[in-house]
Amino acid sequence: MPQFAPVRSETTDLDAVRRYAVSVIAQSEGEALQMKTVTLALLGGIMWRGAPGSTEMIQDEMGTNAILSTTLGGRHLTFSYDQNTESIEMREGTMDGPVLHRFCNRTLVGDFERTFSALWG
């Protein structure tokens, strides 16, 4: 029976999500609201409903902020952590697009459901 080695690629959806989670959680350490719980919930939804092969993590021009780019419900969205608001901003299109929602540790489960249901509806 052939042995299969795990695929290690910087271009898989899972790898992009994992790198983004590590970056956001590290950035938020030491702040009043650590982002572990909301980051994991948000990324779980992206992995569940994101278009396969559409998710990638990139760095901003300064190389200090991770940006997750993905397609959900046929819409291109970007997610990035904003230290000023201690939240992850979901934007339409690029990082210059309008903020559709902010997720923080005060975000209720129902807010996640309503936000993502609107995208998947």
Side-chain angles (χ1 to χ4, degrees):
M1 178 174 268
Q3 294 284 327
F4 294 97
V7 175
R8 295 184 185 261
S9 171
E10 293 293 315
T11 60
T12 66
D13 291 343
L14 181 58
D15 187 59
V17 167
R18 181 183 301 115
R19 289 183 12 229
Y20 183 76
V22 168
S23 177
V24 169
I25 291 168
Q27 268 188 288
S28 71
E29 284 183 3
E31 294 182 5
L33 296 174
Q34 290 191 4
M35 296 293 295
K36 290 177 186 172
T37 303
V38 73
T39 300
L40 296 175
L42 180 63
L43 297 179
I46 290 170
M47 288 302 298
W48 177 44
R49 291 293 193 167
S54 72
T55 305
E56 66 177 332
M57 192 201 88
I58 53 178
Q59 295 289 126
D60 64 3
E61 301 82 32
M62 306 280 291
T64 57
N65 194 16
I67 299 165
L68 191 71
S69 173
T70 193
T71 301
L72 291 167
R75 294 169 73 180
H76 180 77
L77 303 170
T78 54
F79 297 83
S80 71
Y81 178 66
D82 181 349
Q83 286 186 306
N84 295 323
T85 62
E86 295 183 357
S87 64
I88 296 174
E89 294 180 339
M90 178 176 76
R91 293 180 179 264
E92 183 80 42
T94 67
M95 288 306 301
D96 296 328
V99 175
L100 301 177
H101 198 79
R102 287 185 174 90
F103 299 93
C104 69
N105 278 347
R106 294 180 295 264
T107 303
L108 303 174
V109 172
D111 292 337
F112 278 104
E113 285 185 48
R114 280 187 291 283
T115 300
F116 283 94
S117 290
L119 293 170
W120 300 320

